[in-house]
Amino acid sequence: MDRIHQMEVFAAINDTGSFVQASNRLRMSPPAVTRAMNALEDRLGVQLMTRSTRQLTLTDAGARFLIATRQLLAEIETAEKLAVGEEGVAQGHLTVSASLAFSRMIAAPVIRSFLASHPRISVSLIAVDRVTNIVEEGIDVAIRIGELPDSSLMAKRLGVVRRLFVASPEYLERRGTPMDPSELKLHSIIGFTGIMPSHDWHYKHGKSRGHVQLHPRFEVNDATTALTAATAGEGITMALSYMIADEIRSGHLAPVLVDYLPPAEPIHLVYPQSKIVAPKVRAFVDFATDRLTDAIRQSELVLS
């Protein structure tokens, strides 16, 4: 059994999460998949994954080998398309990941426009409030907020987002508008754990920096729920600028303590580095970069 086929089996097992599902995808019998996996580990002389009746878990060696496997298989696929003259054809299935709120408010509209102009591509949008492992989870492109760690990923900067406090005008009229971060202790705080997990809010005021410990009366891990409560006049919450741009423009929410904002955070579009970038990835990056940048910039204008 050749090396490439063994690597395809290894990748399929990790993509599907089971030997049986991998056999269905590859149209092989389950015993043939097991033999291919055993042959691969025997050839390499290392265990790539641990098996139990309930789950498969990559070893450290397996995690490293999976990264190299995905890159090699992607380059082989692209090279084959080059050979038959399909190098310029953007086609196939694309997987994109982003946070829940960003997916709903910004990424999804851009992806729908992309699909309208690229009929040979289909897209899965994975909306999760965690940092996805692009290679291990089979993701082609991800949108990430915050400083990027050193990695082998390619990155395109899309702009910046800001964390800010907002409340409804009715709430501020009833309870007063805080003029200093220390006054937040006198208010009803709605905590959104996605961007304020520790309750310790760090801010910047001119050249000085400070922090204040908050004590939410209501806390939730969903941005929409937190903003709904704030819009209903139940308190002050923290959100990222793109989440509340429309509400601020419409007057349903008002920014609070804008002179005490923490530093802006960068937002990037990232994808695996490769000598040959798949046409579907290149097409999405080229299409989405300017549109995402513009959408993010428009949300920042509410603070200017």
Side-chain angles (χ1 to χ4, degrees):
M1 186 172 292
D2 65 81
R3 296 181 176 185
I4 300 302
H5 181 64
Q6 291 173 355
M7 295 172 76
E8 289 174 336
V9 170
F10 177 55
I13 292 170
N14 283 278
D15 286 345
T16 62
S18 78
F19 280 59
V20 173
Q21 292 300 321
S23 69
N24 292 335
R25 171 185 287 192
L26 298 173
R27 297 182 180 179
M28 298 170 57
S29 68
V33 169
T34 301
R35 287 195 298 270
M37 192 63 218
N38 291 339
L40 176 60
E41 290 180 322
D42 289 344
R43 180 169 59 80
L44 295 176
V46 296
Q47 185 177 12
L48 299 176
M49 59 175 63
T50 58
R51 293 89 144 170
S52 72
T53 56
R54 294 186 176 182
Q55 65 178 4
L56 302 171
T57 304
L58 285 172
T59 63
D60 290 342
R64 293 192 298 269
F65 189 68
L66 181 60
I67 292 174
T69 293
R70 291 195 190 283
Q71 291 175 341
L72 179 60
L73 293 178
E75 291 186 6
I76 289 174
E77 180 183 2
T78 303
E80 290 175 344
K81 291 179 179 179
L82 284 169
V84 297
E86 294 186 2
E87 67 275 12
V89 179
Q91 60 183 343
H93 188 74
L94 188 77
T95 303
V96 181
S97 76
S99 68
L100 285 166
F102 192 91
S103 294
R104 181 174 61 254
M105 299 175 182
I106 295 182
V110 171
I111 289 173
R112 292 200 300 270
S113 296
F114 173 74
L115 289 171
S117 61
H118 292 77
R120 300 181 68 176
I121 297 180
S122 59
V123 176
S124 292
L125 174 59
I126 300 176
V128 289
D129 284 330
R130 62 176 175 83
V131 177
T132 52
N133 187 312
I134 289 182
V135 175
E136 290 188 7
E137 297 182 49
I139 294 168
D140 296 297
V141 181
I143 299 163
R144 291 185 175 168
I145 298 171
E147 295 294 340
L148 295 176
D150 293 335
S151 71
S152 60
L153 297 177
M154 298 293 292
K156 282 186 173 289
R157 187 182 175 97
L158 302 174
V160 297
V161 296
R162 299 180 185 275
R163 299 169 186 253
L164 68 159
F165 284 108
V166 290
S168 70
E170 293 77 14
Y171 174 87
L172 297 175
E173 183 178 355
R174 185 174 73 252
R175 297 287 299 273
T177 300
M179 304 305 293
D180 183 270
S182 62
E183 297 179 23
L184 288 171
K185 296 179 181 179
L186 305 175
H187 287 266
S188 296
I189 302 299
I190 302 165
F192 168 42
T193 57
I195 60 175
M196 195 171 60
S198 68
H199 304 163
D200 193 20
W201 179 50
H202 292 261
Y203 60 86
K204 182 178 180 182
H205 182 57
K207 295 183 179 180
S208 64
R209 295 175 182 267
H211 73 277
V212 61
Q213 189 72 23
L214 302 173
H215 303 281
R217 292 199 64 224
F218 175 47
E219 189 171 51
V220 64
N221 66 348
D222 173 62
T224 300
T225 302
L227 290 171
T228 299
T231 303
E234 297 171 13
I236 298 174
T237 194
M238 178 179 281
L240 294 172
S241 48
Y242 69 84
M243 297 177 180
I244 39 76
D246 290 341
E247 284 75 9
I248 290 178
R249 291 191 187 98
S250 66
H252 293 135
L253 291 174
V256 177
L257 296 169
V258 292
D259 293 330
Y260 295 87
L261 293 178
E265 297 187 65
I267 181 167
H268 292 87
L269 185 151
V270 300
Y271 53 99
Q273 187 174 18
S274 174
K275 293 180 181 179
I276 304 175
V277 178
K280 62 182 181 180
V281 173
R282 183 170 60 247
F284 181 77
V285 171
D286 291 345
F287 181 93
T289 298
D290 288 345
R291 290 166 174 82
L292 292 172
T293 298
D294 184 62
I296 293 166
R297 184 185 299 116
Q298 291 299 319
S299 69
E300 284 292 296
L301 291 177
V302 300
L303 301 179
S304 61

PDB file of all heavy atoms in Angstrom, residues 184-185 187-191 196 198-200 212-219:
ATOM      1  N   LEU A 184     -18.654  52.345  37.804  1.00  0.00           N
ATOM      2  CA  LEU A 184     -19.341  51.149  37.317  1.00  0.00           C
ATOM      3  C   LEU A 184     -19.804  50.264  38.471  1.00  0.00           C
ATOM      4  O   LEU A 184     -20.760  49.487  38.324  1.00  0.00           O
ATOM      5  CB  LEU A 184     -18.414  50.357  36.385  1.00  0.00           C
ATOM      6  CG  LEU A 184     -18.151  50.978  35.007  1.00  0.00           C
ATOM      7  CD1 LEU A 184     -17.058  50.213  34.284  1.00  0.00           C
ATOM      8  CD2 LEU A 184     -19.419  51.022  34.172  1.00  0.00           C
ATOM      9  N   LYS A 185     -19.152  50.379  39.603  1.00  0.00           N
ATOM     10  CA  LYS A 185     -19.546  49.572  40.761  1.00  0.00           C
ATOM     11  C   LYS A 185     -20.928  49.953  41.275  1.00  0.00           C
ATOM     12  O   LYS A 185     -21.542  49.192  42.023  1.00  0.00           O
ATOM     13  CB  LYS A 185     -18.503  49.735  41.871  1.00  0.00           C
ATOM     14  CG  LYS A 185     -17.123  49.214  41.492  1.00  0.00           C
ATOM     15  CD  LYS A 185     -16.128  49.428  42.609  1.00  0.00           C
ATOM     16  CE  LYS A 185     -14.739  48.923  42.210  1.00  0.00           C
ATOM     17  NZ  LYS A 185     -13.733  49.143  43.283  1.00  0.00           N
ATOM     18  N   HIS A 187     -23.453  50.479  39.264  1.00  0.00           N
ATOM     19  CA  HIS A 187     -24.409  50.154  38.204  1.00  0.00           C
ATOM     20  C   HIS A 187     -24.646  48.657  38.088  1.00  0.00           C
ATOM     21  O   HIS A 187     -23.861  47.829  38.574  1.00  0.00           O
ATOM     22  CB  HIS A 187     -23.908  50.704  36.868  1.00  0.00           C
ATOM     23  CG  HIS A 187     -24.024  52.189  36.749  1.00  0.00           C
ATOM     24  ND1 HIS A 187     -25.107  52.804  36.179  1.00  0.00           N
ATOM     25  CD2 HIS A 187     -23.190  53.180  37.170  1.00  0.00           C
ATOM     26  CE1 HIS A 187     -24.937  54.115  36.217  1.00  0.00           C
ATOM     27  NE2 HIS A 187     -23.783  54.376  36.810  1.00  0.00           N
ATOM     28  N   SER A 188     -25.731  48.319  37.417  1.00  0.00           N
ATOM     29  CA  SER A 188     -26.033  46.920  37.094  1.00  0.00           C
ATOM     30  C   SER A 188     -25.212  46.521  35.870  1.00  0.00           C
ATOM     31  O   SER A 188     -25.390  47.093  34.788  1.00  0.00           O
ATOM     32  CB  SER A 188     -27.527  46.749  36.790  1.00  0.00           C
ATOM     33  OG  SER A 188     -28.306  47.032  37.940  1.00  0.00           O
ATOM     34  N   ILE A 189     -24.327  45.576  36.050  1.00  0.00           N
ATOM     35  CA  ILE A 189     -23.451  45.135  34.964  1.00  0.00           C
ATOM     36  C   ILE A 189     -23.964  43.820  34.395  1.00  0.00           C
ATOM     37  O   ILE A 189     -24.266  42.875  35.139  1.00  0.00           O
ATOM     38  CB  ILE A 189     -22.003  44.961  35.459  1.00  0.00           C
ATOM     39  CG1 ILE A 189     -21.467  46.273  36.040  1.00  0.00           C
ATOM     40  CG2 ILE A 189     -21.099  44.467  34.333  1.00  0.00           C
ATOM     41  CD1 ILE A 189     -21.432  47.420  35.054  1.00  0.00           C
ATOM     42  N   ILE A 190     -24.057  43.775  33.071  1.00  0.00           N
ATOM     43  CA  ILE A 190     -24.424  42.556  32.355  1.00  0.00           C
ATOM     44  C   ILE A 190     -23.132  41.986  31.780  1.00  0.00           C
ATOM     45  O   ILE A 190     -22.515  42.593  30.900  1.00  0.00           O
ATOM     46  CB  ILE A 190     -25.432  42.853  31.230  1.00  0.00           C
ATOM     47  CG1 ILE A 190     -26.683  43.521  31.810  1.00  0.00           C
ATOM     48  CG2 ILE A 190     -25.786  41.580  30.479  1.00  0.00           C
ATOM     49  CD1 ILE A 190     -27.555  44.167  30.757  1.00  0.00           C
ATOM     50  N   GLY A 191     -22.708  40.859  32.285  1.00  0.00           N
ATOM     51  CA  GLY A 191     -21.433  40.291  31.862  1.00  0.00           C
ATOM     52  C   GLY A 191     -21.566  39.373  30.662  1.00  0.00           C
ATOM     53  O   GLY A 191     -22.442  38.516  30.619  1.00  0.00           O
ATOM     54  N   MET A 196     -15.236  39.184  28.534  1.00  0.00           N
ATOM     55  CA  MET A 196     -14.951  39.682  29.874  1.00  0.00           C
ATOM     56  C   MET A 196     -15.013  38.510  30.859  1.00  0.00           C
ATOM     57  O   MET A 196     -15.803  38.483  31.788  1.00  0.00           O
ATOM     58  CB  MET A 196     -15.954  40.764  30.262  1.00  0.00           C
ATOM     59  CG  MET A 196     -15.557  41.594  31.470  1.00  0.00           C
ATOM     60  SD  MET A 196     -16.667  43.024  31.714  1.00  0.00           S
ATOM     61  CE  MET A 196     -18.246  42.217  31.939  1.00  0.00           C
ATOM     62  N   SER A 198     -12.885  37.401  33.180  1.00  0.00           N
ATOM     63  CA  SER A 198     -12.315  37.498  34.523  1.00  0.00           C
ATOM     64  C   SER A 198     -12.954  38.580  35.384  1.00  0.00           C
ATOM     65  O   SER A 198     -12.632  38.694  36.565  1.00  0.00           O
ATOM     66  CB  SER A 198     -10.809  37.770  34.425  1.00  0.00           C
ATOM     67  OG  SER A 198     -10.575  39.074  33.908  1.00  0.00           O
ATOM     68  N   HIS A 199     -13.813  39.421  34.790  1.00  0.00           N
ATOM     69  CA  HIS A 199     -14.451  40.550  35.486  1.00  0.00           C
ATOM     70  C   HIS A 199     -13.452  41.667  35.811  1.00  0.00           C
ATOM     71  O   HIS A 199     -13.820  42.661  36.426  1.00  0.00           O
ATOM     72  CB  HIS A 199     -15.135  40.111  36.791  1.00  0.00           C
ATOM     73  CG  HIS A 199     -16.142  39.035  36.612  1.00  0.00           C
ATOM     74  ND1 HIS A 199     -16.611  38.264  37.651  1.00  0.00           N
ATOM     75  CD2 HIS A 199     -16.777  38.584  35.498  1.00  0.00           C
ATOM     76  CE1 HIS A 199     -17.480  37.378  37.196  1.00  0.00           C
ATOM     77  NE2 HIS A 199     -17.596  37.561  35.895  1.00  0.00           N
ATOM     78  N   ASP A 200     -12.214  41.508  35.394  1.00  0.00           N
ATOM     79  CA  ASP A 200     -11.193  42.519  35.658  1.00  0.00           C
ATOM     80  C   ASP A 200     -10.992  43.314  34.373  1.00  0.00           C
ATOM     81  O   ASP A 200     -10.359  42.832  33.430  1.00  0.00           O
ATOM     82  CB  ASP A 200      -9.895  41.841  36.091  1.00  0.00           C
ATOM     83  CG  ASP A 200      -8.895  42.831  36.687  1.00  0.00           C
ATOM     84  OD1 ASP A 200      -9.328  43.923  37.097  1.00  0.00           O
ATOM     85  OD2 ASP A 200      -7.695  42.511  36.717  1.00  0.00           O
ATOM     86  N   VAL A 212     -10.441  47.969  36.744  1.00  0.00           N
ATOM     87  CA  VAL A 212     -11.481  47.962  37.768  1.00  0.00           C
ATOM     88  C   VAL A 212     -12.111  46.575  37.806  1.00  0.00           C
ATOM     89  O   VAL A 212     -12.283  45.931  36.764  1.00  0.00           O
ATOM     90  CB  VAL A 212     -12.549  49.043  37.475  1.00  0.00           C
ATOM     91  CG1 VAL A 212     -13.229  48.786  36.136  1.00  0.00           C
ATOM     92  CG2 VAL A 212     -13.574  49.121  38.584  1.00  0.00           C
ATOM     93  N   GLN A 213     -12.397  46.104  38.991  1.00  0.00           N
ATOM     94  CA  GLN A 213     -13.027  44.797  39.161  1.00  0.00           C
ATOM     95  C   GLN A 213     -14.542  44.963  39.123  1.00  0.00           C
ATOM     96  O   GLN A 213     -15.109  45.768  39.865  1.00  0.00           O
ATOM     97  CB  GLN A 213     -12.620  44.169  40.491  1.00  0.00           C
ATOM     98  CG  GLN A 213     -13.055  42.732  40.670  1.00  0.00           C
ATOM     99  CD  GLN A 213     -12.267  41.761  39.797  1.00  0.00           C
ATOM    100  OE1 GLN A 213     -11.169  42.059  39.395  1.00  0.00           O
ATOM    101  NE2 GLN A 213     -12.857  40.618  39.495  1.00  0.00           N
ATOM    102  N   LEU A 214     -15.202  44.228  38.241  1.00  0.00           N
ATOM    103  CA  LEU A 214     -16.645  44.337  38.059  1.00  0.00           C
ATOM    104  C   LEU A 214     -17.356  43.148  38.704  1.00  0.00           C
ATOM    105  O   LEU A 214     -16.781  42.063  38.859  1.00  0.00           O
ATOM    106  CB  LEU A 214     -16.973  44.395  36.568  1.00  0.00           C
ATOM    107  CG  LEU A 214     -16.317  45.548  35.795  1.00  0.00           C
ATOM    108  CD1 LEU A 214     -16.580  45.394  34.313  1.00  0.00           C
ATOM    109  CD2 LEU A 214     -16.815  46.890  36.293  1.00  0.00           C
ATOM    110  N   HIS A 215     -18.610  43.369  39.050  1.00  0.00           N
ATOM    111  CA  HIS A 215     -19.408  42.325  39.686  1.00  0.00           C
ATOM    112  C   HIS A 215     -20.773  42.251  38.987  1.00  0.00           C
ATOM    113  O   HIS A 215     -21.741  42.892  39.405  1.00  0.00           O
ATOM    114  CB  HIS A 215     -19.581  42.614  41.177  1.00  0.00           C
ATOM    115  CG  HIS A 215     -18.286  42.750  41.907  1.00  0.00           C
ATOM    116  ND1 HIS A 215     -17.534  41.671  42.303  1.00  0.00           N
ATOM    117  CD2 HIS A 215     -17.579  43.863  42.279  1.00  0.00           C
ATOM    118  CE1 HIS A 215     -16.436  42.083  42.901  1.00  0.00           C
ATOM    119  NE2 HIS A 215     -16.434  43.405  42.913  1.00  0.00           N
ATOM    120  N   PRO A 216     -20.842  41.481  37.889  1.00  0.00           N
ATOM    121  CA  PRO A 216     -22.087  41.415  37.111  1.00  0.00           C
ATOM    122  C   PRO A 216     -23.260  40.883  37.934  1.00  0.00           C
ATOM    123  O   PRO A 216     -23.109  39.945  38.714  1.00  0.00           O
ATOM    124  CB  PRO A 216     -21.742  40.454  35.972  1.00  0.00           C
ATOM    125  CG  PRO A 216     -20.250  40.468  35.894  1.00  0.00           C
ATOM    126  CD  PRO A 216     -19.776  40.661  37.294  1.00  0.00           C
ATOM    127  N   ARG A 217     -24.426  41.485  37.720  1.00  0.00           N
ATOM    128  CA  ARG A 217     -25.656  40.962  38.317  1.00  0.00           C
ATOM    129  C   ARG A 217     -26.226  39.856  37.434  1.00  0.00           C
ATOM    130  O   ARG A 217     -26.926  38.965  37.908  1.00  0.00           O
ATOM    131  CB  ARG A 217     -26.693  42.079  38.466  1.00  0.00           C
ATOM    132  CG  ARG A 217     -26.316  43.133  39.494  1.00  0.00           C
ATOM    133  CD  ARG A 217     -27.536  43.924  39.928  1.00  0.00           C
ATOM    134  NE  ARG A 217     -28.497  43.062  40.614  1.00  0.00           N
ATOM    135  CZ  ARG A 217     -29.817  43.090  40.384  1.00  0.00           C
ATOM    136  NH1 ARG A 217     -30.316  43.908  39.480  1.00  0.00           N
ATOM    137  NH2 ARG A 217     -30.630  42.286  41.054  1.00  0.00           N
ATOM    138  N   PHE A 218     -25.934  39.950  36.139  1.00  0.00           N
ATOM    139  CA  PHE A 218     -26.387  38.941  35.179  1.00  0.00           C
ATOM    140  C   PHE A 218     -25.218  38.653  34.267  1.00  0.00           C
ATOM    141  O   PHE A 218     -24.572  39.567  33.758  1.00  0.00           O
ATOM    142  CB  PHE A 218     -27.580  39.482  34.385  1.00  0.00           C
ATOM    143  CG  PHE A 218     -28.054  38.560  33.276  1.00  0.00           C
ATOM    144  CD1 PHE A 218     -28.247  37.207  33.503  1.00  0.00           C
ATOM    145  CD2 PHE A 218     -28.321  39.059  32.015  1.00  0.00           C
ATOM    146  CE1 PHE A 218     -28.683  36.361  32.495  1.00  0.00           C
ATOM    147  CE2 PHE A 218     -28.767  38.231  30.987  1.00  0.00           C
ATOM    148  CZ  PHE A 218     -28.943  36.880  31.238  1.00  0.00           C
ATOM    149  N   GLU A 219     -24.929  37.377  34.074  1.00  0.00           N
ATOM    150  CA  GLU A 219     -23.785  36.989  33.256  1.00  0.00           C
ATOM    151  C   GLU A 219     -24.205  35.891  32.294  1.00  0.00           C
ATOM    152  O   GLU A 219     -24.968  34.987  32.661  1.00  0.00           O
ATOM    153  CB  GLU A 219     -22.640  36.506  34.144  1.00  0.00           C
ATOM    154  CG  GLU A 219     -21.339  36.285  33.402  1.00  0.00           C
ATOM    155  CD  GLU A 219     -20.191  36.016  34.358  1.00  0.00           C
ATOM    156  OE1 GLU A 219     -20.344  35.122  35.234  1.00  0.00           O
ATOM    157  OE2 GLU A 219     -19.157  36.699  34.245  1.00  0.00           O
TER     158      GLU A 219
END
